[in-house]
Amino acid sequence: MLQNFLAGFGGVGGACALITLGLKVWPGALDTLATGLYSHVDQNRLPYNSVLSQHFAKTRQLGERTEKFDERMDELCRDTIKNTLISLIYGDAQHDHSEAVRYELDKLEKLDAQCWIVNAAEKYLEDRQ
């Protein structure tokens, strides 16, 4: 069947020309083809020092670094929000900061932070109602 297909289009050269024409006409076809080929690569069968093997190792390493960076950023955000809540609750006792405390508490809850300042902020809001 493949031989009949290639013979009908003038051999391998004709098939390559047809594929090239399809890639030029269909927008995004080259990206789709490259992604499809890339996703079917078996990393375990690659030679250890090959360029593609090194690429997969680098990609894995960058993914791990990105994950660590995201964790650190979340921790930094939580600490910043906690410090803001502390300054709002304990800093200026003459003014009511309920709305700001509620806003910061919502941000802290979205980051799944559970600590003593959450309880203090909730108590602050209860006392101000």
Side-chain angles (χ1 to χ4, degrees):
M1 182 171 146
L2 180 63
Q3 291 172 345
N4 293 335
F5 174 76
L6 291 176
F9 288 105
V12 175
C16 288
L18 186 65
I19 291 171
T20 304
L21 178 66
L23 291 175
K24 293 285 185 183
V25 172
W26 182 24
L30 186 59
D31 292 337
T32 304
L33 178 65
T35 303
L37 291 173
Y38 185 78
S39 67
H40 286 85
V41 173
D42 184 9
Q43 299 176 24
N44 298 325
R45 297 187 68 196
L46 293 173
Y48 181 72
N49 289 332
S50 71
V51 175
L52 196 54
S53 177
Q54 292 172 0
H55 169 71
F56 279 117
K58 186 74 167 177
T59 302
R60 188 171 35 258
Q61 184 182 33
L62 288 174
E64 291 169 359
R65 285 183 180 175
T66 302
E67 187 176 312
K68 288 180 184 177
F69 181 76
D70 288 343
E71 290 172 4
R72 289 178 182 164
M73 285 300 296
D74 285 346
E75 184 179 341
L76 181 63
C77 287
R78 282 191 293 269
D79 289 345
T80 303
I81 295 168
K82 288 176 191 177
N83 288 336
T84 304
L85 281 172
I86 290 170
S87 66
L88 287 171
I89 294 172
Y90 300 111
D92 185 14
Q94 296 175 354
H95 295 89
D96 183 22
H97 300 287
S98 297
E99 185 145 345
V101 169
R102 190 173 296 112
Y103 175 74
E104 296 295 330
L105 187 60
D106 288 340
K107 289 194 315 188
L108 197 58
E109 287 174 352
K110 287 179 185 175
L111 292 171
D112 294 328
Q114 294 297 327
C115 61
W116 66 271
I117 194 65
V118 173
N119 297 331
E122 289 171 351
K123 184 175 182 332
Y124 177 86
L125 291 174
E126 286 175 10
D127 293 344
R128 299 296 187 264
Q129 287 182 351

